[in-house]
Amino acid sequence: MKKRSTPFTLDGKNMYVLGGGGLIGAAVVKALAASGARVIALDRDAARLRRLVTWACSHGKDVRAEVVDASDLSAMEKVMRGLVRRHGAMSAWVNASYPRSKDWGRSLEAMTPEYLRENIDVHLNSCLWTARVAALIMKEHKKGGVIVNFGSIYGMVANDLTIYEGTQMSGEMLYCGMKAGIINATRYLASYFGAEGIRANCICPGGIFDKQNPVFVKQYAKKTPLKRMGTPDDIAWPVVFLCSDAAAYMTGAVLSVDGGWTAV
């Protein structure tokens, strides 16, 4: 094994990031690449991927891009195995994707069984299925590996609905259920694959600023001990930590990166 100058270095590692073109996913891709990894960014938005590759070329980083639609569960195992043949073994699989239906954001009263099934399938099921496939591929290669799934503070605690007052925004019961499922499924993967040297951890971001209603932003920040919303970079660097040898004794962990939201 190549000796590393620091356990945080990712030199020589292949990192696959599903949802790599998204708000947080793109920051994760850049942080991993900046730490020395070869990053394979996966997203269904080709334009976002092109912007990442342009950034990588201008910064001398190794970022490769593949258009992938993880909602097509029946195709994903074949797709993932093809990715490994083209780009090399998985050192880490990071699921930063946030797939959802076109009518996402329905109130509890407006939900339908179809809405429920579609979003569970494209979000919860795609996360669990791809993490499963990634772990099996890592097991076959017998080199260990890392899985990082994205939960949320709302997979850990219920929404504080007062932060939406005075806006058109509302909390999502379904989102809470899906993220809680991802958290505990990650723990299961940690238990199931630990003997193979495969670590599975879950990162749980707090609210990330994305030009939301100023009233919401103010109310959110007031409740948070650090008095602000998070940024994509706030999440990206803890992901680098989880993927690195610095976290070699961490598996089944739920890492809150939330400005203290879940602490109070």
Side-chain angles (χ1 to χ4, degrees), residues 62-175:
D62 190 353
V63 174
R64 306 170 183 196
E66 297 268 6
V67 176
V68 170
D69 183 359
S71 67
D72 186 358
L73 298 186
S74 61
M76 275 307 293
E77 182 163 0
K78 182 178 180 180
V79 167
M80 291 169 69
R81 291 185 179 279
L83 291 170
V84 170
R85 285 193 296 272
R86 290 193 293 280
H87 301 288
M90 290 179 180
S91 302
W93 176 264
V94 179
N95 191 342
S97 64
Y98 184 18
R100 51 207 183 274
S101 64
K102 292 180 180 179
D103 59 346
W104 176 252
R106 289 191 178 194
S107 68
L108 183 146
E109 291 81 3
M111 287 174 61
T112 64
E114 293 75 22
Y115 174 85
L116 188 73
R117 293 189 192 101
E118 180 180 0
N119 282 290
I120 287 176
D121 206 33
V122 299
H123 192 108
L124 175 62
N125 291 348
S126 69
C127 179
L128 270 55
W129 184 254
T130 58
R132 167 194 173 272
V133 173
L136 290 173
I137 291 173
M138 292 172 185
K139 179 180 178 180
E140 291 166 10
H141 289 182
K142 298 181 180 180
K143 294 182 179 180
V146 179
I147 293 168
V148 179
N149 288 326
F150 268 62
S152 168
I153 55 172
Y154 285 155
M156 303 172 69
V157 298
N159 299 52
D160 180 348
L161 298 177
T162 64
I163 64 173
Y164 305 110
E165 292 175 356
T167 77
Q168 297 299 312
M169 303 169 68
S170 64
E172 258 281 357
M173 182 188 78
L174 179 54
Y175 183 83

Side-chain angles (χ1 to χ4, degrees), residues 200-223:
N201 293 297
C202 194
I203 192 162
C204 289
I208 304 302
F209 179 72
D210 190 22
K211 300 178 182 177
Q212 294 97 332
N213 185 308
V215 174
F216 167 79
V217 173
K218 181 178 180 180
Q219 291 172 169
Y220 187 97
K222 184 178 179 180
K223 176 181 166 61

